[in-house]
Amino acid sequence: MRIDWHSHVWRSEHLEPEWGPELDANVAPAPAPSALGHYDSHLRAMDAAGIDVAIVLALVSCHVELEIPNEYVADFVRANPTRAIGFASVDPNDPQAVDKLRYAATDLGLRGLKLSPPYQGFHPHSPEAWRVYEAAAELGLVVTFHQGGVFLRRGFLEYAYPSLLDRVARSFPTMKMIIAHVGQPWVPETVAVMFKNPNVFTDLSARYGRPWQLYGILMNLLDYGVWDRVLFGSDFPIYEPEDCLARFRTMGREPTNGLAPIDPALIDSIIEQRPLSLLGLDIPAPTHP
Ligand SMILES: [Zn+2]
């Protein structure tokens, strides 16, 4: 089964006034990704890439008034129950965060949680964050962290180091965690956290456009024996999954000037052999009338 472990649906109004305009200006100027995240575009992009199931992430931040609502993600998943699994987002700075997370998991049927210390502006060890982790662990949610560099001018890099997640991973050893984008640019920190914590995974989303960096990332992951916890992700709609797959597969043929190709079977294993069950997830069985 081919899974896209990192994708979004959104409408441009969810991203205003700050996050979406800065995304458009700094990351992928044309076409503006803020305008491309509607439900039908998501389904078309996943079909074009042969993706069976996509993890679809909400994202909220009080700090930048960003809100891709949990309900918006849940409605998409409800309409496409065999193609999408939704992850909620709550902001630990919000006093209602735990209540909102319980509602998202139990009433909306979302299966994971997206957090981002550098976009939401919280220290990963803060008491506010801890009560959210406790609830996520109790609810059996997978937690995806954007823990790494950000494009946002008002983002918080002091909260963004992947090594800060070691304390979380060892305190909640049964809670599965995904460090998105391999924690770029602090890839060795991400690998160090994965190496000692078997409940920590990573996704390669948004890394395919930097072939030198991606080559180094893959070598690091191989060297430390954590390859079986590396997941394919696109970060749609910022990037098209079909294009991500093509660029990733280039690493198995002609990576970049003078570097030896990576065994295509290893690349294929990330694309094709990371089932939902690896992180304790599943899709509902089809119902027959
Ligand atoms: Zn993303």
Side-chain angles (χ1 to χ4, degrees), residues 6 8 57 114 181 235 238:
H6 189 130
H8 302 275
L57 307 166
K114 168 75 180 280
H181 321 306
D235 215 1
I238 303 174

Side-chain angles (χ1 to χ4, degrees), residues 188-215:
E189 286 198 22
T190 299
V191 174
V193 174
M194 292 175 73
F195 183 64
K196 69 181 281 297
N197 296 292
N199 53 325
V200 179
F201 296 70
T202 193
D203 76 52
L204 297 173
S205 59
R207 298 300 91 211
Y208 313 101
R210 301 186 195 277
W212 283 98
Q213 185 195 49
L214 179 58
Y215 194 87

Side-chain angles (χ1 to χ4, degrees), residues 63 93 116-126 133 146-165 183-186 189:
H63 175 64
N93 294 309
S116 178
Y119 284 133
Q120 294 174 318
F122 70 89
H123 192 292
H125 302 171
S126 65
Y133 307 146
H146 179 121
Q147 187 73 347
V150 292
F151 59 80
L152 190 76
R153 184 90 189 262
R154 291 202 300 133
F156 298 81
L157 291 187
E158 66 268 39
Y159 300 148
Y161 301 116
S163 56
L164 293 172
L165 298 183
Q184 62 77 34
W186 301 292
E189 286 198 22

